[in-house]
Amino acid sequence: MQNRPLAAAGAILTGMAIISVIDQFLRVIAADSSLWTFHLIRSVMMWGLALAYVVWRGTPLRVVSWRGMVFRSVFLSSAMMIYFGALAFMPVAQAAAGLFTSPIWVLIFSVVFFGLRIGVWRVLAVGLGFMGILAVLSPDPATVGPLTFVPVLAGAFYAIAMISTREWCPEEGSLEMTLAGFTAMWLWGLVGVIVVGLVGPEAPAGADGFVMRGWVWPTAEVWFWLWVQAAGSLVAVMFLTRAYQLAEASYVGVFEYALLGFSALFGWLVWGEVLGWVGLIGIAMIAAGGVIIALRSRTAPEAEANAQAVSPSS
């Protein structure tokens, strides 16, 4: 099994940068469409783009373990749907803070279920990154309630999906896993369109009705941004998937914090949104945690090799 932490860090940072750019325009889609329509159409688009790439490449899609692929896709798609669903009843900052508990969950699950030995530096780096998230998001304690912790469940599901990428899908192709995940989200979208269509709730106008609408035929502008989302997401998720194949999930997960830094940058460039000093300090903390992880990931194999060389049993 490969262990290339620096290459994994580069892959996940690239994927996060792409996601942060295309997600800046999700608010345009949300104003005139629905969450369920979005996932239905985007998934079909991504399959079309992927199949065109497969034909051009001349290599067929191949699945090594259907069980591992399905397991991963179920938890990944569930995490995304819980997160987006939470946006219907809580501020984005709280929902994002819950989802970004995933590296903490990765650390816990890796130790409890796989016996992974985690050094103190990685524990401190994850803690530093999480405190940086809180600084960037600046949650309001007055809004905390039982529903606040729903996105934490999304973080747990996302962590399981990322662990399974390396533990149960190490031989799967990035494109195959990407398509499996978005197929699961297509199924969620189909179920959502049917259920919302049958229930028929009165959806508010604009982005507030994003989750409560059923099928909405896209406008020309929405069609354009759906194509941007499909192409960008396909490339970005392939980078993320590859990252979790190159190194342990406990190493890679902390680099997902970079999404907030990139989002702040592109939010300023696209919409003129500016972070305060607390947010900038938070980004610095996130970056520091990532540097610690990268350095420890590179030196850990050397330390283990030296320890074996001087061991009496060697």
Side-chain angles (χ1 to χ4, degrees), residues 42-94:
R42 185 179 66 158
S43 297
V44 172
M45 287 178 169
M46 293 182 69
W47 263 100
L49 293 172
L51 291 177
Y53 173 72
V54 168
V55 172
W56 172 78
R57 187 179 61 176
T59 303
L61 297 171
R62 181 179 67 94
V63 175
V64 177
S65 172
W66 282 102
R67 180 180 298 180
M69 189 77 84
V70 170
F71 183 88
R72 175 185 182 276
S73 300
V74 167
F75 280 95
L76 179 62
S77 62
S78 298
M80 293 297 99
M81 289 301 166
I82 292 173
Y83 167 69
F84 282 112
L87 295 179
F89 59 83
M90 67 171 53
V92 176
Q94 290 182 0

Side-chain angles (χ1 to χ4, degrees), residues 33-42 44 81 184-201 210-218:
S33 187
S34 75
L35 172 66
W36 318 108
T37 302
F38 170 71
H39 283 296
L40 271 175
I41 296 178
R42 185 179 66 158
V44 172
M81 289 301 166
M185 282 186 270
W186 179 86
L187 290 172
W188 275 105
L190 179 62
V191 171
V193 165
I194 295 174
V195 172
V196 174
L198 291 174
V199 176
F210 189 47
V211 177
M212 297 177 65
R213 300 187 191 108
W215 171 258
V216 180
W217 188 261

Side-chain angles (χ1 to χ4, degrees), residues 10-295:
I12 200 166
L13 289 175
T14 301
M16 287 299 175
I18 295 172
I19 290 174
S20 66
V21 172
I22 62 177
D23 279 357
Q24 294 297 325
F25 301 95
L26 187 60
R27 66 180 69 178
V28 179
I29 297 174
D32 296 312
S33 187
S34 75
L35 172 66
W36 318 108
T37 302
F38 170 71
H39 283 296
L40 271 175
I41 296 178
R42 185 179 66 158
S43 297
V44 172
M45 287 178 169
M46 293 182 69
W47 263 100
L49 293 172
L51 291 177
Y53 173 72
V54 168
V55 172
W56 172 78
R57 187 179 61 176
T59 303
L61 297 171
R62 181 179 67 94
V63 175
V64 177
S65 172
W66 282 102
R67 180 180 298 180
M69 189 77 84
V70 170
F71 183 88
R72 175 185 182 276
S73 300
V74 167
F75 280 95
L76 179 62
S77 62
S78 298
M80 293 297 99
M81 289 301 166
I82 292 173
Y83 167 69
F84 282 112
L87 295 179
F89 59 83
M90 67 171 53
V92 176
Q94 290 182 0
L99 183 63
F100 272 85
T101 61
S102 59
I104 307 299
W105 287 109
V106 165
L107 199 70
I108 294 172
F109 293 149
S110 296
V111 172
V112 173
F113 296 110
F114 298 100
L116 188 65
R117 299 174 61 185
I118 304 294
V120 64
W121 282 105
R122 277 189 282 178
V123 174
L124 292 176
V126 171
L128 183 63
F130 184 69
M131 288 189 292
I133 290 293
L134 296 180
V136 171
L137 298 177
S138 300
D140 183 2
T143 63
V144 174
L147 293 179
T148 303
F149 301 98
V150 170
V152 175
L153 181 59
F157 281 165
Y158 189 78
I160 295 173
M162 295 305 100
I163 292 174
S164 65
T165 299
R166 178 171 172 82
E167 298 296 334
W168 294 301
C169 305
E171 299 179 5
E172 306 291 353
S174 299
L175 180 59
E176 285 81 353
M177 282 193 287
T178 299
L179 290 176
F182 279 96
T183 298
M185 282 186 270
W186 179 86
L187 290 172
W188 275 105
L190 179 62
V191 171
V193 165
I194 295 174
V195 172
V196 174
L198 291 174
V199 176
E202 184 177 350
D208 291 340
F210 189 47
V211 177
M212 297 177 65
R213 300 187 191 108
W215 171 258
V216 180
W217 188 261
T219 64
E221 184 178 25
V222 170
W223 274 116
F224 171 77
W225 290 115
L226 282 171
W227 277 112
V228 172
Q229 274 280 337
S233 297
L234 182 63
V235 174
V237 175
M238 287 177 64
F239 272 109
L240 302 185
T241 302
R242 184 58 178 160
Y244 279 94
Q245 289 180 307
L246 290 171
E248 295 172 359
S250 57
Y251 287 121
V252 178
V254 73
F255 285 97
E256 295 195 7
Y257 285 137
L259 177 65
L260 293 182
F262 286 128
S263 295
L265 172 62
F266 293 114
W268 171 63
L269 293 175
V270 175
W271 302 109
E273 298 173 343
V274 180
L275 280 177
W277 284 108
V278 174
L280 294 176
I281 293 173
I283 290 177
M285 294 170 68
I286 294 167
V291 170
I292 293 172
I293 290 292
L295 293 177

